[in-house]
Amino acid sequence: EKVVEKVVEVTAKPVEKARIRILTRPHSDEGVLAFPQLIDDHFEVEHPGIKVDVELEASGWEEKLVTAMIAGTADDVFVAWPAIFFKFVERGLVLDIQPYVDQNLSAEEISDYIEAQWEALFMRGIRCAMPKYIDMRLDTINLDLFDEAGVDYPPKDGDWDYNDYEEMAAKLTRDRSGDGKIDVWGTWIERGGWFFWPRMFGGGIVNPDDDTDCWLDSPGSLECYNWIYHNQWEREPNIFIQDAQGGGWYDGLVSQLIAMDEMGLYPAKNVEKLGDLFRWDYRQPPKGPVSRCSLGDADGWAIWKGTKHPDAAWELIHFLSSPLFQEMGTLRAEGAVPIRKSLMPVMIDVFREEWPVMKDVYLQVIPDMIDAGYLSNVYWFKNHVEAMEIIDPAMEAVFGVGEKDPSYFKEISEKVEATQKG
């Protein structure tokens, strides 16, 4: 009997790709264009099983992202910074990536990250993100306004203090147009000096050793806040510009209303916003009476806890913090400060090569500040979100509109501490 073999044609099912969405915010126009191209040319080539859809953060993105997380429709990967991460971590919305770090990163690779950033992205017992770039607070100065007023520039080596800063601000505040009205102010300080000015006076917002203890009313904090308030609201003329007079990051600089601007470090964005409107430069923040302190914020790439593709999302954020992307994306395209120590030796040359306008800008300030070791981040309250819901409006009342003076912080501290019980 002849046996007829039945041949069955088996068609292999195609492997379904992991399609993940990333919500990003590049820090320059070129970075917006380069980001998806780098994903296509490098990440997706090396990871053919992963497709990445790039979305840009828009106004209100934070609230929209939380809503989408709760609804189960959020982006798999997003970029934020500790003040936002903390709120997400408190609500259990961020994936702990420490197990991926333990499995995939060597001690040598971890040592290549800036320590302050690496440490800041571990909060409430989880590692919430991989580093994106370094956001530092320093002073951007208008050299032309200094020259017009006959004021010496702040020293490049950082050897100046808050008294020098106040003296310079007073000399720089003047009637430039000759119409009898002040139209140039010495400086702008971000909303009560945010957290690092009080630390330079020996105070702070929260006791670093007790996360239930509000330090807004501590002697160091009140000394700092009274100093800022006096120069912003009581002194005639005020030498620290008020928000209503035109203070702010780029607005005050572009309109040449301020000679020293306390702001974040975004070299390429500076070129896009300022170009050659005037000669500008960078300086370290001045020393306070107790110490020098500045922000070394830890912007990073996080994974939504509800993602259906955690392994693919990890591969993506690991790539985005890799030397390749940090050089091609963060440094060359976005023109921001990379988070890899190994790129520091080439960083300044790359900035000057990509943006010739910065040929005379003192970019050595970046490694100077990193090497000095005074960059730090926010200390968190036990119930941080509740605390900031009280503190933010108080800061606006005192420094935003001047309807309260710093003695108000004694009352605010009591209210904050009441939220930390239990």
Side-chain angles (χ1 to χ4, degrees), residues 74-137:
D75 295 81
D76 302 274
V77 173
F78 62 94
V79 63
W81 49 95
I84 292 178
F85 283 142
F86 199 92
K87 292 184 283 187
F88 290 176
V89 169
E90 275 195 333
R91 301 177 69 174
L93 299 173
V94 178
L95 184 70
D96 180 9
I97 62 170
Q98 189 62 47
Y100 287 105
V101 169
D102 293 340
Q103 183 175 352
N104 296 281
L105 270 60
S106 66
E108 181 181 8
E109 180 175 357
I110 292 174
S111 69
D112 195 34
Y113 293 107
I114 305 298
E115 286 87 352
Q117 272 213 318
W118 188 254
E119 293 169 3
L121 291 173
F122 191 88
M123 55 181 66
R124 287 292 173 92
I126 76 166
R127 180 159 299 283
C128 63
M130 289 293 286
K132 177 187 186 293
Y133 82 108
I134 305 176
D135 181 8
M136 301 160 63
R137 289 292 188 277

Side-chain angles (χ1 to χ4, degrees), residues 250-354:
Y250 286 106
D251 292 344
L253 276 177
V254 170
S255 56
Q256 300 199 58
L257 292 173
I258 46 180
M260 297 185 288
D261 195 7
E262 180 183 286
M263 58 186 296
L265 177 63
Y266 311 107
K269 183 179 281 190
N270 262 33
V271 173
E272 291 175 356
K273 296 282 190 179
L274 305 179
D276 57 1
L277 286 173
F278 53 83
R279 294 180 305 119
W280 53 273
D281 211 346
Y282 290 133
R283 290 296 187 273
Q284 295 187 53
K287 300 173 185 175
V290 173
S291 65
R292 195 202 309 263
C293 177
S294 187
L295 176 70
D297 210 1
D299 290 49
W301 304 101
I303 300 174
W304 171 42
K305 194 171 184 178
T307 180
K308 295 180 173 60
H309 305 289
D311 293 345
W314 160 256
E315 293 295 337
L316 177 59
I317 66 173
H318 188 202
F319 166 77
L320 293 173
S321 68
S322 69
L324 186 151
F325 184 85
Q326 283 294 306
E327 178 176 353
M328 300 302 294
T330 302
L331 182 54
R332 293 186 179 274
E334 289 190 51
V337 181
I339 42 77
R340 290 280 191 162
K341 295 177 188 175
S342 54
L343 289 174
M344 290 296 148
V346 303
M347 174 185 63
I348 293 176
D349 289 339
V350 169
F351 280 143
R352 299 201 197 286
E353 172 191 332
E354 297 285 345

Side-chain angles (χ1 to χ4, degrees), residues 136-280:
M136 301 160 63
R137 289 292 188 277
L138 78 175
D139 286 279
T140 299
I141 62 175
N142 184 324
L143 299 178
D144 290 348
L145 291 180
F146 271 80
D147 289 347
E148 285 182 15
V151 179
D152 291 338
Y153 309 147
K156 289 182 177 179
D157 64 4
D159 188 17
W160 64 319
D161 64 19
Y162 75 108
N163 288 316
D164 301 319
Y165 181 81
E166 181 180 356
E167 182 179 348
M168 286 182 191
K171 292 177 179 177
L172 291 161
T173 299
R174 60 197 178 93
D175 171 17
R176 189 186 188 200
S177 65
D179 65 356
K181 299 178 181 178
I182 297 297
D183 51 17
V184 174
W185 285 265
T187 191
W188 175 74
I189 288 185
E190 185 177 13
R191 196 48 52 84
W194 203 34
F195 78 89
F196 55 89
W197 270 103
R199 286 190 198 171
M200 292 196 285
F201 281 71
I205 292 178
V206 58
N207 182 342
D209 299 317
D210 181 355
D211 61 6
T212 67
D213 183 15
C214 181
W215 266 15
L216 286 175
D217 61 347
S218 67
S221 295
L222 289 177
E223 181 185 358
C224 174
Y225 292 140
N226 282 317
W227 173 73
I228 295 173
Y229 184 86
H230 170 70
N231 285 301
Q232 188 176 29
W233 293 102
E234 296 176 333
R235 186 168 180 162
E236 288 292 340
N238 60 296
I239 62 175
F240 296 176
I241 194 172
Q242 300 162 9
D243 289 355
Q245 293 170 326
W249 280 32
Y250 286 106
D251 292 344
L253 276 177
V254 170
S255 56
Q256 300 199 58
L257 292 173
I258 46 180
M260 297 185 288
D261 195 7
E262 180 183 286
M263 58 186 296
L265 177 63
Y266 311 107
K269 183 179 281 190
N270 262 33
V271 173
E272 291 175 356
K273 296 282 190 179
L274 305 179
D276 57 1
L277 286 173
F278 53 83
R279 294 180 305 119
W280 53 273

